[in-house]
Amino acid sequence: MTLEIPDALSFFQLSCGQWRSQRSVHHLLHRRAESGGSLIVVEDLAASDDRLVAMARQHGQDPARIIGGSHVRWSANMAWDRDGDAHDGETCFALMADAEADRSGTLLRDQGYAEKAPATSTFEMDDRDGLILRTSYEMMTVWERFSFCGPDVRVRSSTVEGLSNNASFCIETRLSGAGATGVAASSGTVSSPFGW
């Protein structure tokens, strides 16, 4: 089963809910893999939400270009954690589609994953309805691909190049809530997606 996802906003709305994530991170420098897990909660935000409007202004963007957004919270643990290590956090995303297309554009965050400073990503949906994000930080670049194997299973892969070279693969399953309306399921062979 695959999902037909018409645009990026639908992709983000389908991601709303509670997710359990199982992750494998491959640290290229150490030539070792590390496993971990997390709980992720994604909430839909209206384009007019004050947090998104403030974020657009912080990034020097016109708030009128926002088509929607999300508030994301997570709590994670990894196999190499030591006492006191914490992988908890939250962020907001503001989605700004390109003028000529609703499957590509810019994603604003109040803080990045690799750094705590505000971050800007570019996104585009591929021909298999996966969402590809590219985020450049001062010392590294992160590529991520997100895809759905059904309304309640999401797959994510990422590659980090720069200061910390690693690759990760995640399988995420929905704990509660239904898929977004307007997203049609279709049957067919699912090729192995390496990304989220």
Side-chain angles (χ1 to χ4, degrees):
M1 173 190 267
T2 59
L3 294 179
E4 296 175 5
I5 305 174
D7 52 45
L9 183 58
S10 298
F11 193 102
F12 276 81
Q13 290 171 338
L14 184 59
S15 296
C16 291
Q18 293 185 336
W19 298 85
R20 175 72 62 196
S21 177
Q22 295 177 300
R23 173 184 301 189
S24 176
V25 180
H26 303 269
H27 299 277
L28 305 182
L29 178 65
H30 302 293
R31 298 183 184 181
R32 292 180 60 194
E34 178 185 22
S35 62
S38 59
L39 175 66
I40 303 167
V41 179
V42 183
E43 300 171 42
D44 189 43
L45 297 179
S48 60
D49 188 282
D50 291 343
R51 292 167 287 184
L52 302 187
V53 170
M55 191 184 336
R57 291 184 176 136
Q58 178 185 26
H59 284 266
Q61 299 287 336
D62 180 2
R65 290 188 53 220
I66 297 171
I67 61 170
S70 302
H71 177 248
V72 182
R73 300 186 319 268
W74 63 90
S75 178
N77 58 61
M78 298 297 293
W80 297 356
D81 285 352
R82 297 178 182 160
D83 288 342
D85 284 351
H87 303 287
D88 302 338
E90 61 183 300
T91 190
C92 286
F93 299 149
L95 192 63
M96 306 175 80
D98 286 338
E100 66 279 0
D102 53 9
R103 291 174 61 91
S104 63
T106 303
L107 183 73
L108 307 179
R109 301 179 191 180
D110 58 0
Q111 63 173 303
Y113 289 128
E115 298 176 1
K116 296 301 181 188
T120 301
S121 303
T122 58
F123 70 84
E124 64 178 309
M125 293 184 69
D126 62 24
D127 59 359
R128 293 183 296 152
D129 293 331
L131 183 80
I132 300 168
L133 288 178
R134 180 182 182 273
T135 309
S136 293
Y137 298 97
E138 186 174 339
M139 302 293 288
M140 67 187 74
T141 301
V142 180
W143 285 271
E144 299 172 275
R145 184 178 185 275
F146 305 83
S147 63
F148 285 90
C149 298
D152 298 322
V153 179
R154 191 170 63 179
V155 179
R156 173 169 49 120
S157 66
S158 65
T159 304
V160 179
E161 292 183 1
L163 188 62
S164 170
N165 293 320
N166 65 57
S168 66
F169 181 76
C170 305
I171 298 286
E172 299 175 340
T173 53
R174 189 185 304 274
L175 296 180
S176 64
T181 58
V183 178
S186 64
S187 60
T189 304
V190 179
S191 58
S192 175
F194 292 97
W196 175 130

